[in-house]
Amino acid sequence: MRNIQLIIEYDGSRYDGWQKAVTSAKNGSSAKGGAIQEKIEEVLEKMEGTKVELIGAIRTEAGVHAYRQVANFHTDSTKKTYEMKQYLNRYLPRDIAVLEALEVNDRFHASFNAKEFVFEYHITIGEVPSVFDRKYNYYCFKRPNIKLMKQAGEQLVGTHDFKAFSDNKRMKKSTVRTLSSIDIYGDEKEITITIRGDDFWPNMVRILVGTILSVGLSEIPVEEIKNIIASGDRQKAGEAVEPKGLFLSDVIYR
């Protein structure tokens, strides 16, 4: 059996996120466009004539986009990988694209083998927000202090218990994570925050960005970042920013 790796780009605006949910007949189907994983599996199953399980590197929540999501599936198909790529792109919705299809080692697992994930968040800060960026950038009405934002980011880098940045009060897994870098670049019109770490749970990146942005807007003192981490109290961290400005930009394997 062959193991096929896909590199996928998607606009998550109309989807419930990457991972398909288990829905009952009582609950009905999703209010949005379903899950991206589900859409790709539907085309793969049409191509293969049998059920296919697609494994994604990391879950992205509703409304979040990806420049480079990684996934894999197993198949007995004799199709060449470029034929698979062409077939998928022919039948997938136009807001999902397969950039690459590669045959990989049978032991490759898109999620288990991933070592780090890179997310980007885009913030518009110009006096008049661009009508063309409104679907993919968060608009900040005030101009934040980028120097303070960078200082906040420096304190978040490292291995910490990030419980204060979780919306899941019943989270049973360890909330200790390692952020290897937080880079913040800004000009007169836009700020980009790039966060790289070993793992992220749903909403974590958006809460981190919201906290950094709150520091830049002088809503949270930069000196409070260490106290927020130590407290483990979600109420002390910033609000989760809107998902539309968030992109999964890379998955790192070694």
Side-chain angles (χ1 to χ4, degrees):
M1 184 165 280
R2 302 163 71 195
N3 191 11
I4 307 299
Q5 180 193 81
L6 302 178
I7 308 299
I8 305 158
E9 180 179 74
Y10 53 82
D11 176 344
S13 300
R14 69 185 185 97
Y15 296 101
D16 292 314
W18 166 263
Q19 187 167 309
K20 61 185 178 183
V22 178
T23 57
S24 65
K26 181 179 179 180
N27 292 333
S29 59
S30 163
K32 275 198 167 188
I36 294 149
Q37 175 193 29
E38 187 175 30
K39 294 296 182 183
I40 300 172
E41 283 183 349
E42 287 173 359
V43 179
L44 285 172
E45 289 169 11
K46 182 179 178 181
M47 180 181 78
E48 298 290 280
T50 187
K51 188 173 180 60
V52 176
E53 180 186 5
L54 184 66
I55 301 164
I58 190 171
R59 291 171 59 186
T60 56
E61 59 261 29
V64 175
H65 321 290
Y67 292 126
R68 187 180 172 86
Q69 170 72 281
V70 181
N72 74 288
F73 68 96
H74 290 87
T75 179
D76 289 321
S77 173
T78 58
K79 283 186 173 65
K80 297 184 185 299
T81 53
Y82 76 84
E83 292 175 324
M84 295 180 187
K85 174 183 170 181
Q86 289 175 346
Y87 188 96
L88 284 161
N89 286 324
R90 179 179 178 183
Y91 291 104
L92 281 169
R94 296 301 85 179
D95 48 8
I96 303 173
V98 174
L99 305 181
E100 295 180 46
L102 308 165
E103 187 162 356
V104 292
N105 187 289
D106 184 62
R107 297 177 65 183
F108 175 80
H109 189 286
S111 178
F112 294 160
N113 293 148
K115 300 302 182 184
E116 287 190 304
F117 305 93
V118 184
F119 283 90
E120 291 180 14
Y121 197 83
H122 298 276
I123 303 169
T124 296
I125 56 173
E127 182 179 352
V128 179
S130 168
V131 297
F132 301 109
D133 293 338
R134 73 189 188 283
K135 291 174 61 178
Y136 306 105
N137 284 31
Y138 169 76
Y139 181 63
C140 185
F141 290 90
K142 297 180 181 178
R143 185 175 294 274
N145 186 317
I146 296 178
K147 182 178 179 181
L148 289 177
M149 292 173 68
K150 288 182 177 181
Q151 290 175 8
E154 289 169 1
Q155 295 184 55
L156 289 163
V157 169
T159 302
H160 306 289
D161 186 338
F162 286 99
K163 185 178 180 181
F165 302 86
S166 172
D167 281 329
N168 186 353
K169 296 180 180 179
R170 298 182 180 180
M171 191 165 177
K172 296 179 180 179
K173 294 182 179 180
S174 170
T175 47
V176 175
R177 296 289 186 272
T178 299
L179 301 184
S180 55
S181 65
I182 297 179
D183 295 317
I184 302 171
Y185 169 79
D187 57 24
E188 294 182 355
K189 295 184 178 180
E190 186 175 321
I191 296 173
T192 300
I193 301 175
T194 304
I195 301 178
R196 176 170 172 163
D198 62 350
D199 196 13
F200 299 92
W201 51 78
N203 298 336
M204 180 179 172
V205 177
R206 292 166 54 207
I207 297 169
L208 286 166
V209 171
T211 303
I212 292 169
L213 185 58
S214 292
V215 170
L217 295 171
S218 299
E219 296 170 351
I220 296 176
V222 68
E223 298 81 10
E224 278 297 302
I225 293 295
K226 289 183 179 179
N227 294 333
I228 292 170
I229 296 171
S231 74
D233 186 350
R234 173 68 188 92
Q235 300 302 313
K236 293 185 177 181
E239 295 285 334
V241 289
E242 295 178 73
K244 66 179 182 179
L246 184 58
F247 294 76
L248 172 63
S249 61
D250 206 359
V251 181
I252 310 299
Y253 297 92
R254 297 191 182 91

